[in-house]
Amino acid sequence: MDSEHILTRLRAEGYIISPSYADSDLVVVNTCGFIDSAVEESLDAIGEALAENGKVVVTGCLGAKGDIVKKTHPKVLAVTGPHATDEVMAAVHAHLPRLHDPYSDLVPPQGIRLTPKHFAYVKISEGCNHRCTFCIIPSMRGDLVSRPVGDVMQEAQNLVNAGVKELLVISQDTSAYGVDVKYRTGFWNGRPLKTRMTELVQAMGEFRQAGGQNVWVRLHYVYPYPHVDEVIPLMAAGKILPYLDIPFQHANKRILKLMKRPASSENVLVRIKQWREICPDLTLRSTFIVGFPGETEAEFEELLDFLKEAQLDRVGAFMYSPVEGALANALPDHITPEVQQERLRRLMELQETISEARLQRKIGKVITVLVDEVDEEGAIARSAADAPEIDGVVYIVDGESLKVGDFVQVRVTDSDVHDLWAETI
Ligand code: SF4
């Protein structure tokens, strides 16, 4: 999103965006500093930009991490932290004065997006009020700040007007939306609208494409608060996609407590069961950390048992990795990388069998998909169960004449661990 804001401002001021170093007068590098490997990757990217172009402005999370950028690459022109579009623009103005062409100030109403035209991310808040011990996002990005509900809806409306068919609602903590402003009532289209996740996504669910088809609304990074239950009926009613990306991180009470996460996996299992009763088509995606400091074999097995019981559709699992500044680093009994790897492998093997079986149940069914890519061999699309980049896809074997951005009805013919195969009907 930061990149998109910066690109939009640059374009709005008449700068031309170039994909190559050679054709550019200046390079803006947006960095990540969340985990150590991202720090290295970001520093490498800055080094490459300096070597290839020489005029480099650095922005993003790494810029907030002390003077690591300046120390490693003293030749960079300017360094800013995340969400610093104004500062980035000031650096660009200083080193590459803006062009004076009144015609180039035009910018499409949806801004410039990095994602394909038919889906777009809508960031509803920034920062997080939680203090999970493995995470440094709150110290880098601060406490939760929700965007005004009217602004979010206007951005979403602009995107839909510009042809976007799927809105991906993101933030660090989507279900906390509005907590910081006490769920203040804002306005949208002259109607009062609360700054709250349920009310927001219900309003987004009313967007229609030309032709009457409703816009897909997909929820990401939903922290498992009790009020998440409220969105399930909206999913069952087809207002928003029956898809919930809800990180649980672990199942064992002690580990969850050490992580400073809500600690009741029995409760989670009961809720999942209720959600599926209300919305049988619900796709659940979650993430888990294995090898957290002090995790015993028995506690890890409890996580495996939870997964067997929960039958989640999509699971991302990560080995615990100490991030500079995270409280969990100080915990005793760190797990060796060998044991972490072995646990990760066992978890993924189990989850693969679960995912495979769940996808197999779709064979023979007719589903609606959104086409992402088309070539002479067919089309690649996604169903309600597939978020872009992180989930599987649906290969449409006879889809060569479909168009990117089309909604199509297909019959599922085959499946594997992550993906489906289908034909048009
Ligand atoms: S893991 Fe998520 S919920 Fe926890 S502190 Fe980090 S951003 Fe907040």
Side-chain angles (χ1 to χ4, degrees):
M1 286 295 287
D2 281 0
S3 299
E4 293 173 3
H5 280 147
I6 294 165
L7 288 173
T8 301
R9 285 278 296 277
L10 287 167
R11 262 296 288 277
E13 293 191 10
Y15 290 97
I16 296 166
I17 312 302
S18 162
S20 76
Y21 292 125
D23 294 336
S24 307
D25 297 310
L26 183 144
V27 180
V28 178
V29 180
N30 188 8
T31 59
C32 176
F34 183 46
I35 53 172
D36 292 349
S37 59
V39 171
E40 264 166 48
E41 218 173 279
S42 294
L43 289 173
D44 286 353
I46 297 165
E48 184 184 293
L50 278 170
E52 298 282 332
N53 182 284
K55 281 178 109 174
V56 178
V57 171
V58 175
T59 183
C61 295
L62 192 58
K65 280 188 137 187
D67 52 2
I68 180 168
V69 176
K70 276 279 185 196
K71 267 197 182 140
T72 321
H73 295 298
K75 285 197 179 141
V76 295
L77 300 174
V79 182
T80 85
H83 328 303
T85 307
D86 288 340
E87 288 171 50
V88 173
M89 292 309 296
V92 172
H93 293 157
H95 298 282
L96 188 66
R98 61 172 295 187
L99 310 174
H100 294 287
D101 178 359
Y103 296 105
S104 61
D105 278 0
L106 291 173
V107 64
Q110 79 280 17
I112 307 299
R113 284 172 287 113
L114 296 174
T115 42
K117 205 167 141 257
H118 58 285
F119 66 84
Y121 295 92
V122 180
K123 193 166 198 176
I124 61 172
S125 61
E126 186 55 68
C128 178
N129 289 346
H130 296 282
R131 295 293 180 265
C132 303
T133 54
F134 52 81
C135 177
I136 53 165
I137 283 177
S139 65
M140 286 168 89
R141 306 212 156 181
D143 282 342
L144 180 89
V145 178
S146 300
R147 291 179 60 202
V149 70
D151 289 5
V152 174
M153 286 300 291
Q154 188 59 56
E155 180 177 324
Q157 176 76 74
N158 290 346
L159 290 164
V160 171
N161 291 348
V164 163
K165 313 232 169 129
E166 177 178 3
L167 298 169
L168 300 121
V169 177
I170 55 165
S171 68
Q172 262 93 41
D173 185 0
T174 295
S175 35
Y177 181 58
V179 166
D180 54 320
V181 294
K182 303 199 169 54
Y183 304 120
R184 180 170 56 209
T185 300
F187 283 91
W188 164 243
N189 267 353
R191 273 176 20 207
L193 185 62
K194 267 192 168 183
T195 312
R196 198 163 172 276
M197 177 180 70
T198 309
E199 282 78 356
L200 173 74
V201 298
Q202 187 159 22
M204 283 186 181
E206 286 168 20
F207 286 131
R208 292 282 173 278
Q209 301 291 306
Q213 172 111 31
N214 68 338
V215 172
W216 279 5
V217 178
R218 191 184 294 280
L219 301 189
H220 283 291
Y221 313 118
V222 176
Y223 191 89
Y225 297 103
H227 72 267
V228 171
D229 296 3
E230 293 172 10
V231 295
I232 308 295
L234 295 176
M235 295 179 176
K239 302 272 186 216
I240 59 174
L241 287 179
Y243 181 99
L244 202 54
D245 171 11
I246 184 158
F248 294 126
Q249 308 299 9
H250 211 281
N252 171 268
K253 253 191 189 132
R254 192 185 75 88
I255 297 290
L256 284 166
K257 216 165 158 215
L258 289 176
M259 290 176 166
K260 284 212 178 150
R261 300 278 305 179
S264 170
S265 61
E266 302 90 353
N267 197 358
V268 168
L269 288 171
V270 171
R271 286 175 79 195
I272 289 176
K273 195 161 165 267
Q274 286 166 350
W275 293 343
R276 286 191 169 132
E277 273 161 18
I278 297 167
C279 182
D281 288 336
L282 179 65
T283 295
L284 284 171
R285 173 180 185 83
S286 193
T287 44
F288 296 90
I289 294 175
V290 299
F292 191 77
E295 182 193 60
T296 64
E297 173 62 22
E299 287 164 341
F300 171 68
E301 282 174 16
E302 200 179 319
L303 172 55
L304 295 184
D305 290 343
F306 169 85
L307 288 173
K308 280 181 210 153
E309 195 70 30
Q311 293 285 305
L312 302 173
D313 300 272
R314 313 277 188 196
V315 164
F318 306 92
M319 292 189 297
Y320 170 77
S321 110
V323 182
E324 204 189 310
L327 292 173
N329 298 347
L331 290 171
D333 305 322
H334 280 241
I335 309 296
T336 63
E338 295 72 28
V339 173
Q340 284 189 316
Q341 258 154 24
E342 190 243 359
R343 288 183 185 168
L344 181 66
R345 181 187 53 74
R346 282 160 66 200
L347 187 148
M348 290 317 288
E349 274 174 17
L350 167 67
Q351 183 55 37
E352 280 176 8
T353 58
I354 294 171
S355 304
E356 192 169 14
R358 291 190 71 79
L359 286 178
Q360 231 165 39
R361 299 201 318 215
K362 301 193 178 187
I363 295 177
K365 291 202 172 147
V366 172
I367 56 173
T368 303
V369 295
L370 180 57
V371 177
D372 278 341
E373 278 173 51
V374 180
D375 64 20
E376 61 283 357
E377 287 177 15
I380 301 179
R382 287 177 297 105
S383 70
D386 312 307
E389 313 288 342
I390 50 173
D391 292 329
V393 296
V394 181
Y395 294 100
I396 309 174
V397 286
D398 59 346
E400 62 282 353
S401 53
L402 296 171
K403 282 206 245 33
V404 171
D406 276 355
F407 281 112
V408 203
Q409 297 272 99
V410 295
R411 188 180 307 280
V412 180
T413 54
D414 204 355
S415 66
D416 67 8
V417 177
H418 302 291
D419 304 318
L420 295 176
W421 279 258
E423 55 195 24
T424 52
I425 52 169

